[in-house]
Amino acid sequence: MKLTLFDALVVKAFLLVPMSLGATEVSAVLERYCTDCHDAATKKGGLSLEGVKKYQDAPPTVWSAIREKIQLREMPPKKKLQPATDEKQSLVTWIEQSLLAAGEHIESKLDLPNYGNYVDHDALFRAKAHPAPATLVRVWRHRPEAYERSSAGAGIQPFSMAPGHQFNDFSRLYAVDESSAEIILRNAQQLVETQTRAKLENGKMIGEPGGAGAGGSKTPGPFLPLLHPEKAATSAEIKIAIDWQFHQCLLRSPTEEEFSRVTGLLERVSEKYGKLNGVRAALTVPLLMPEAVYRLELGAGKLDEFGRRRLAPREIRMALHYTLLNTQPGETLGKKADLDTREGVGAFVGQLLEGDPKPRVLRFFDEYFDYEKASGVFKEPPDKLPFDANSLVRDTRKLIQSIVTEDKDVLRTLLTTTRTYATDGNNYQRGGPRIYGLPYDWKPRDGELVELPPDQRAGILTQPAWLIAHSGNFDNDPVRRGKWIRERLLGGTIPDLPISVDAVVPEDKAKTLRERFEVIRKSDYCWRCHQHMNPLGMPFEAYDHFGRFRTKELKRPVETSGAITGTGDAGIDSTVSDAVDMIRRLAQQDRTQEVFVRYAFRYFLGRNEITRDARTLQEANAVYKNSGGSMKALIASLLSSDSFLYRAPEL
């Protein structure tokens, strides 16, 4: 099945779940769970659902709000009677179908990486797993690096990544818009123009010198017969040239239909605008096909009993290379691999991961810990001591790489190691040793890991780069730090900041930051959300906003106590004395590892997990644990799972 660019976007937009509730059932669900607070008398939030029995009884904005509140588990309130999972999904599906039928646009926050935790954790790791995980049939726009490294990537970069997401490369985030399409077309035209520069010498066509083509030219040899001004190319020569371009751009031959369309274009343009323009038009075609800018993951296998189709071996190979290596298979396309079995796919993933950690794997940790933002946080140098945030970022990156390279107990080591790199420590103009608290006379050796005091540092979250990245310009930010821990170690959720809230802590130079934050604790409205962040973020007051360990603030002993709360697990919830105590407690928890597996799933599969992925997650978690915390083993499990290998038109 070959799609035009327009077709691909249509497929992406209309993969919908069928309606499963009627108006009568919807009315009953609303009556049972909603009208206690949203009737004409109570009308909480200014909303009354009394008498609402069909779609026409409420405006689209109300239905959209109801759908989002249910999906994000914000309604009904936790202390109220809760609908069953099936009831929730059925109501959401009915609302979506009704909105579409009325011509309304639908956006789902659950498709965004920031909202993955809204899927119930226990339903993924404690409940009985669905026997047949799968991913929706999808087209996934290439990330900038993959496009740049493809044959279509010469010229201007047409793609960008959306900021503000936990992971940048999510399948639902991107499509090719009009401005990108114009750049793609211009790039294709420029590339083909370079490929078709040749001149006639002694009856032979000679390509422009300086490339890797025939005779060291920029012009591929198969194109030369088509460019001869005095001889018409034979059918065989035309076929060879077009086939060469398809293989170069798409790693496959054209279908008969595609070949017929391309040769037809060649003839029509040549007749009207000349041979050279006809050849260039024909050779541009594969550079503009959906496969040149999208990953097409449709599934070419037979429909199984669960309504799924398995990706074809070529689709699997392409998907694995784009996932792990930022590029098309290229020369490895012909490598022997058993891609018809899960074991064979897992073994092939192992081959691709051999050697040093791949940039795509390291990128996962960069985005997961989100420490690189330190380079963009403006700060006045501390105590007139120059420091370079970029060098601190490099230290953290190097530390992560060393731990991932060792590939043993990766997550726990990342969270608890007392070692660090201080690559600029011998350059006192950068202030390296003083940021880490190293002695003034300390001098590093190349590639040496430095041991830091175990009562002061524990892993990436106490690295200066992470602390700076999760701080403000002039002070610490316990809210941002607590939010990171709530979401990425505990798998919790924090509602979006209401637009009516002015989130500013009062300035008072006579008070510590913790004392200034008391105004939030005294407000029931604010504390409703901040209780899930502040107790997790306050233990990091053991460090100033440059990441330096400290024992005093405003000449008073710094208060570093905090608490892990709201997990629903008595074995996890507890008070903590400081950040090191908290991190070490969390590093030992099964839940922390499970949440880490969820984040790895999102990154490598490019979507949020759903309850149907429970088997994939449970298996990956077991593999990670049984392998001694091997990241390679975890990735191989995820990328050989049914969630990765199977596609379905609906889930």
Side-chain angles (χ1 to χ4, degrees), residues 412-451:
R412 191 170 299 169
T413 304
L414 286 167
L415 291 177
T416 61
T417 182
T418 55
R419 301 179 302 171
T420 191
Y421 285 98
T423 53
D424 288 310
N426 61 342
N427 185 343
Y428 278 77
Q429 291 304 308
R430 297 188 185 276
R434 290 178 63 180
I435 295 294
Y436 289 103
L438 298 171
Y440 281 90
D441 59 352
W442 176 80
K443 296 185 181 300
R445 297 175 183 174
D446 290 342
E448 181 184 34
L449 276 165
V450 183
E451 193 72 31

Side-chain angles (χ1 to χ4, degrees), residues 9-48:
L9 294 174
V10 170
V11 169
K12 184 179 180 183
F14 291 100
L15 294 173
L16 301 170
V17 181
M19 197 184 322
S20 57
L21 278 184
T24 302
E25 291 86 355
V26 168
S27 176
V29 171
L30 293 177
E31 179 68 28
R32 188 178 305 123
Y33 300 107
C34 304
T35 54
D36 184 44
C37 295
H38 298 288
D39 58 8
T42 310
K43 205 175 182 179
K44 283 196 174 181
L47 173 64
S48 171

Side-chain angles (χ1 to χ4, degrees), residues 217-229:
S217 75
K218 296 179 181 178
T219 310
F223 295 177
L224 293 176
L226 278 64
L227 300 172
H228 200 293

Side-chain angles (χ1 to χ4, degrees), residues 608-622:
N608 288 328
E609 63 276 24
I610 59 176
T611 53
R612 186 164 172 170
D613 296 306
R615 195 183 86 183
T616 294
L617 291 162
Q618 291 170 19
E619 290 175 349
N621 187 56

Side-chain angles (χ1 to χ4, degrees), residues 266-288:
L266 171 63
E267 292 171 2
R268 291 193 303 274
V269 176
S270 296
E271 182 178 346
K272 192 167 183 179
Y273 299 105
K275 177 188 283 191
L276 180 59
N277 286 322
V279 170
R280 287 176 173 173
L283 297 177
T284 300
V285 170
L287 290 159
L288 300 178

Side-chain angles (χ1 to χ4, degrees), residues 334-506:
K335 271 191 174 181
K336 289 185 178 180
D338 175 17
L339 301 182
D340 293 322
T341 66
R342 176 174 185 179
E343 293 74 19
V345 174
F348 186 62
V349 173
Q351 292 178 38
L352 297 180
L353 291 175
E354 286 177 353
D356 293 335
K358 301 299 181 278
R360 279 284 297 156
V361 175
L362 294 175
R363 189 66 204 162
F364 162 71
F365 292 98
D366 294 343
E367 296 189 21
Y368 174 72
F369 285 109
D370 201 22
Y371 65 92
E372 292 179 315
K373 288 181 180 176
S375 298
V377 179
F378 171 78
K379 293 183 182 293
E380 290 286 347
D383 304 329
K384 299 182 180 180
L385 171 69
F387 87 109
D388 181 8
N390 291 322
S391 72
L392 299 173
V393 167
R394 288 194 295 272
D395 290 343
T396 300
R397 184 181 296 120
K398 191 174 179 181
L399 177 61
I400 290 172
Q401 184 172 349
S402 70
I403 293 170
V404 177
T405 299
E406 191 172 348
D407 202 32
K408 295 178 182 178
D409 207 9
V410 171
L411 175 63
R412 191 170 299 169
T413 304
L414 286 167
L415 291 177
T416 61
T417 182
T418 55
R419 301 179 302 171
T420 191
Y421 285 98
T423 53
D424 288 310
N426 61 342
N427 185 343
Y428 278 77
Q429 291 304 308
R430 297 188 185 276
R434 290 178 63 180
I435 295 294
Y436 289 103
L438 298 171
Y440 281 90
D441 59 352
W442 176 80
K443 296 185 181 300
R445 297 175 183 174
D446 290 342
E448 181 184 34
L449 276 165
V450 183
E451 193 72 31
L452 299 174
D455 60 335
Q456 296 181 10
R457 306 281 177 176
I460 304 303
L461 305 192
T462 60
Q463 284 272 299
W466 190 89
L467 293 165
I468 292 170
H470 299 83
S471 71
N473 299 116
F474 307 105
D475 221 327
N476 285 332
D477 192 336
V479 177
R480 194 179 306 175
R481 293 168 180 174
K483 184 175 187 290
W484 191 97
I485 292 172
R486 176 65 63 185
E487 293 177 341
R488 304 199 193 196
L489 295 184
L490 295 173
T493 59
I494 304 295
D496 293 336
L497 180 70
I499 58 175
S500 59
V501 172
D502 183 17
V504 177
V505 179

Side-chain angles (χ1 to χ4, degrees), residues 29 123 190 235 319 349 423 518-519 614:
V29 171
Q190 289 176 348
S235 298
V349 173
T423 53
E518 281 300 312
V519 66

